[in-house]
Amino acid sequence: MSFTPEQIKSGVLPYNYSKFKMKIDELQGVSACYRDRNGAIYHTYSSYARGIDLMNTTYNFLDLTAKGRDENPDSTQDWVRYHDEYKRRSNERSANDD
Amino acid sequence: MTNHKTGTREEWLKARLDLLKAEKELTRRSDELARRRQELPWVRIDKEYPFETKEGKASLADLFRGRSQLLVYHFMFGPDYTAGCPHCSAIADGFNGDAVHLANHDVMLWAVSRAPLAKLQAYKKRMGWSFPWASSLGSEFNYDFNVSFTEEQQRSGNVYYNYSKIGAPAGPHVELAASVGTDWPAYIRETPGMSAFALEDGVVYHTYSAYARGLDGLWGMYQWLDRAPRGRNETGFWIRRHDEYDRGASKDCCA
């Protein structure tokens, strides 16, 4: 979801059914809609923040490991890169076969 | 008009906030479960499990590829199958993108199946996947981790799955078996699961395994369906391999 210039300027942003002091232009979320036979559209559901953890299946895999998410609590996901930006470490072989 | 209950934005928000409270409780409980998984005792693995991989023969320790943690998805692809299980394939469509992130966070994710390596590689190419996939054919790996069963086990009903004796699984699902080119008994000699391992000081430990609905969280598609207006909305065998859906019906979705 996105915030207006006025909201960003105020420094208090509506998110996850609450308000937060933060400086950011965009944040992640999920919305669901339904379209009936006559073409009428209904909004049914929206979720934000940790409400979409379960769609991040990488986390669902990590939650089954011995070390868990193993993240810096003050900066979660600081280890995540775009998939083509991970540097291959010299002592490790590729994650992929190809 | 829809026959479903409708409401004003205010009514919706009130109901949504109630649900949000329950969702947050689930998130906290899920965090707690993940913490408890990490507290499980580790079981040292001394048995040799030979695998065939693209790089040749490999041991369980080799599959870690320099990481300290290994996740194995027990992909249903028996020696007699002509193609991988369509449900496992749908799960793999999702985790194919996760593997590189996990590999850069000290976790190697592999698929392991009993079909010979050439079959696995041909199918992987067809599906366009890049995660590593090993054959455990000739190894006791699948049997020891309770994801494959012998004909003798099937005859005697001595089949343990998901930590309980299941005897004969529900079925037969002829259509599902036909989708992998086998009959039902051959299809169900393989079952889905995942196992986690740790490597420390050259010793491999088994830390965790999950089966059946214990794998739901790994199936990203279901997490999305659970938030759709009609939920999973399942009435039968609807999942196909991603290249087998009717082209006319899917041409406008996912170019």
Side-chain angles (χ1 to χ4, degrees):
Chain A
M1 61 180 290
S2 306
F3 305 104
T4 65
E6 289 74 30
Q7 287 174 321
I8 294 167
K9 203 175 163 190
S10 77
V12 180
L13 302 177
Y15 185 62
N16 199 21
Y17 306 103
S18 186
K19 286 187 175 178
F20 294 91
K21 273 188 184 175
M22 52 188 173
K23 284 187 175 176
I24 199 159
D25 296 345
E26 310 270 334
L27 277 171
Q28 72 276 26
V30 167
S31 290
C33 298
Y34 182 77
R35 186 172 181 267
D36 72 16
R37 255 177 277 168
N38 302 322
I41 294 174
Y42 303 83
H43 171 233
T44 64
Y45 180 81
S46 284
S47 195
Y48 310 92
R50 292 207 60 197
I52 60 173
D53 260 28
L54 286 168
M55 271 83 114
N56 184 348
T57 45
T58 298
Y59 268 157
N60 297 339
F61 276 96
L62 286 175
D63 284 346
L64 307 178
T65 64
K67 285 188 181 175
R69 298 193 186 187
D70 195 25
E71 294 185 305
N72 177 353
D74 299 322
S75 179
T76 57
Q77 300 194 357
D78 63 4
W79 59 276
V80 178
R81 303 284 178 276
Y82 296 108
H83 68 242
D84 62 354
E85 286 185 351
Y86 286 109
K87 290 198 174 66
R88 193 178 293 192
R89 286 170 277 184
S90 58
N91 63 333
E92 292 175 349
R93 286 154 71 194
S94 167
N96 298 333
D97 269 0
D98 300 320
Chain B
M1 279 296 287
T2 174
N3 290 325
H4 197 281
K5 181 174 65 183
T6 60
T8 63
R9 175 57 74 199
E10 290 69 30
E11 288 163 344
W12 178 87
L13 186 58
K14 186 175 179 300
R16 178 67 185 96
L17 289 174
D18 281 345
L19 184 66
L20 183 65
K21 200 175 160 202
E23 286 182 335
K24 287 188 176 186
E25 283 168 13
L26 178 64
T27 302
R28 304 290 171 253
R29 287 191 61 194
S30 182
D31 288 347
E32 171 64 10
L33 271 177
R35 194 187 59 71
R36 285 181 61 189
R37 285 186 195 113
Q38 291 173 51
E39 287 179 353
L40 283 173
W42 295 2
V43 180
R44 183 184 171 122
I45 305 282
D46 289 316
K47 192 168 175 177
E48 295 289 321
Y49 292 112
F51 299 98
E52 285 289 340
T53 72
K54 193 184 171 195
E55 289 77 21
K57 292 190 188 305
S59 66
L60 191 56
D62 291 334
L63 302 188
F64 286 76
R65 288 194 175 172
R67 282 76 176 175
S68 77
Q69 303 174 96
L70 168 69
L71 291 178
V72 169
Y73 181 72
H74 302 289
F75 194 121
M76 293 170 67
F77 199 147
D80 299 329
Y81 286 25
T82 54
C85 159
H87 295 162
C88 289
S89 299
I91 295 175
D93 283 334
F95 70 62
N96 187 55
D98 295 329
V100 67
H101 298 289
L102 293 167
N104 283 278
H105 201 51
D106 197 26
V107 178
M108 274 303 293
L109 171 63
W110 283 74
V112 173
S113 308
R114 285 204 312 124
L117 185 66
K119 262 193 191 183
L120 302 180
Q121 285 180 319
Y123 186 68
K124 182 171 133 171
K125 193 174 173 192
R126 170 184 161 190
M127 293 286 107
W129 295 328
S130 55
F131 56 82
W133 201 346
S135 169
S136 60
L137 186 65
S139 150
E140 291 176 13
F141 185 74
N142 281 47
Y143 299 100
D144 287 357
F145 289 93
N146 297 100
V147 288
S148 293
F149 309 101
T150 63
E151 290 181 55
E152 168 52 30
Q153 279 177 299
Q154 285 184 314
R155 270 194 298 272
S156 63
N158 198 21
V159 172
Y160 286 82
Y161 182 63
N162 199 20
Y163 306 105
S164 61
K165 188 172 182 175
I166 58 167
H173 297 296
V174 176
E175 198 180 0
L176 198 50
S179 77
V180 301
T182 67
D183 57 14
W184 176 246
Y187 175 82
I188 206 62
R189 278 199 279 281
E190 314 297 327
T191 50
M194 65 71 54
S195 294
F197 301 90
L199 178 66
E200 199 173 302
D201 298 329
V203 178
V204 176
Y205 301 87
H206 172 233
T207 66
Y208 180 80
S209 285
Y211 309 92
R213 291 209 57 193
L215 308 170
D216 264 25
L218 308 185
W219 199 336
M221 184 188 74
Y222 269 145
Q223 304 310 320
W224 287 97
L225 280 178
D226 285 345
R227 284 149 187 85
R230 289 192 157 154
R232 300 195 181 188
N233 193 26
E234 297 183 302
T235 50
F237 177 57
W238 66 274
I239 294 170
R240 301 287 179 275
R241 298 180 185 89
H242 64 241
D243 62 357
E244 288 179 344
Y245 287 107
D246 178 85
R247 246 164 231 247
S250 54
K251 70 178 178 191
D252 57 349
C253 93
C254 324

